C-alpha cells in the first residue's frame, strides 16, 4: 500500500450534515432526487432560498421554498438560492447543503455528460481549497457503479424516514418521522 493510500481523511464534523473543511476531499454518493413528472415519488432533495440570522450569538439558517416567502428581517447575509440533498458518506446518511453556485454548476455539468448521467449512479469526490472569498470547490465523478448492498439498504431506509422537507420548518429532518411513499423511479442506485 502506498503512503498516499495510508492517509486518513479528517473527520467531517456533524453526523447529520456534510461539512467540507479547507484542504479536505470527501467521497459522497447522492441518494436524493427531486420529484419529476416521470418519477413523482422521488424524494430526498429540496431547493429554495436560505438566509442566516444571528440568534443568541449563533448563526441560524432559515430556509424557504421561494424568495418571495422570505419575511423582511435583519439577516447576516443576503438570500441565496440553495439545494439540499441526502447523501451517503462513510456509510452514513447525511444532508449536503449546497448554496455554492460553483458546486451546483459542476454537478449539472457532470450529469449532462452521457458517460455519467444521473448523479445517484456514482460516487463524487468533493474537494475544498482556500477560505472565505478565496474558497474553491472541485467535484470529480468516479466511474459509475452500483451502491453496495449495505449502503443501499441504509439509503433506502433513509429515503423512507428522513424528511428533508422539515428543513423548511427549521426542524430536524432525522427526527421528522416516517414518510408515506416509497422511492419512485425503480432502482435509483
Amino acid at each position: 500500500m502506498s503512503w498516499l493510500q495510508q492517509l486518513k481523511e479528517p473527520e467531517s464534523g456533524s453526523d447529520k450534515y456534510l461539512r467540507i473543511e479547507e484542504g479536505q476531499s470527501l467521497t459522497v454518493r447522492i441518494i436524493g432526487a427531486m420529484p419529476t413528472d416521470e418519477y413523482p415519488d422521488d424524494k430526498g432533495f429540496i431547493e429554495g432560498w436560505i438566509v442566516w440570522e444571528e440568534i443568541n450569538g449563533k448563526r441560524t439558517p432559515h430556509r424557504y421554498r421561494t424568495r418571495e416567502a422570505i419575511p423582511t428581517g435583519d439577516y447576516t447575509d443576503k438570500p441565496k438560492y440553495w439545494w439540499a440533498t441526502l447523501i451517503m458518506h462513510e456509510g452514513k446518511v447525511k444532508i449536503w447543503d449546497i448554496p455554492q453556485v460553483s458546486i451546483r454548476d459542476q454537478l449539472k455539468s457532470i450529469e449532462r455528460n452521457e458517460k455519467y448521467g444521473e448523479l445517484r449512479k456514482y460516487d463524487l469526490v468533493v474537494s475544498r481549497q482556500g477560505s472565505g472569498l478565496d474558497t474553491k470547490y472541485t467535484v470529480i465523478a468516479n466511474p459509475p457503479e452500483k451502491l453496495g448492498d449495505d449502503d443501499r439498504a441504509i439509503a433506502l431506509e433513509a429515503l423512507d424516514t428522513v424528511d428533508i422537507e422539515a428543513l423548511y420548518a427549521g426542524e430536524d429532518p432525522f427526527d421528522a418521522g416516517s414518510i408515506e411513499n416509497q422511492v419512485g423511479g425503480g432502482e435509483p442506485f
Side-chain angles (χ1 to χ4, degrees):
M1 179 182 300
S2 79
W3 65 271
L4 193 58
Q5 294 171 337
Q6 294 177 33
L7 292 176
K8 298 275 187 212
E9 291 182 0
E11 289 296 315
S12 61
S14 168
D15 283 342
K16 296 180 180 179
Y17 295 86
L18 184 71
R19 179 158 172 80
I20 306 168
E21 301 292 340
E22 183 178 350
Q24 228 178 3
S25 291
L26 302 178
T27 301
V28 302
R29 171 72 68 105
I30 291 177
I31 62 172
M34 179 178 275
T36 62
D37 290 339
E38 188 175 359
Y39 302 114
D41 295 331
D42 275 353
K43 54 193 163 206
F45 177 95
I46 59 174
E47 65 175 334
W49 292 85
I50 188 169
V51 292
W52 293 84
E53 183 177 26
E54 194 80 27
I55 298 177
N56 297 327
K58 184 178 178 199
R59 279 175 47 94
T60 304
H62 300 284
R63 297 169 178 95
Y64 301 92
R65 293 178 194 278
T66 65
R67 188 178 189 128
E68 296 75 29
I70 301 171
T72 304
D74 186 23
Y75 303 111
T76 57
D77 299 324
K78 66 180 183 177
K80 286 187 175 181
Y81 178 69
W82 138 102
W83 293 351
T85 189
L86 294 179
I87 59 160
M88 291 291 300
H89 172 64
E90 296 181 344
K92 295 180 183 169
V93 174
K94 296 186 179 198
I95 292 174
W96 185 14
D97 270 320
I98 312 174
Q100 301 90 350
V101 173
S102 64
I103 292 175
R104 294 192 314 263
D105 285 349
Q106 290 177 75
L107 292 173
K108 288 187 272 186
S109 179
I110 292 167
E111 189 171 61
R112 280 191 299 266
N113 182 328
E114 63 187 42
K115 290 185 179 183
Y116 288 95
E118 216 265 315
L119 291 170
R120 296 181 291 177
K121 302 287 185 186
Y122 44 87
D123 290 342
L124 300 164
V125 178
V126 185
S127 303
R128 175 181 171 183
Q129 296 298 321
S131 62
L133 296 176
D134 293 327
T135 302
K136 302 263 187 277
Y137 291 93
T138 305
V139 181
I140 298 172
N142 284 341
E145 67 177 310
K146 282 195 171 262
L147 198 56
D149 289 343
D150 291 343
D151 283 346
R152 182 181 176 279
I154 292 167
L156 289 171
E157 179 181 346
L159 288 167
D160 278 341
T161 59
V162 179
D163 182 6
I164 197 166
E165 298 224 358
L167 289 173
Y168 291 129
E171 298 171 359
D172 182 351
F174 293 89
D175 292 335
S178 181
I179 297 175
E180 301 286 331
N181 298 324
Q182 295 293 317
V183 177
E187 177 58 52
F189 338 101

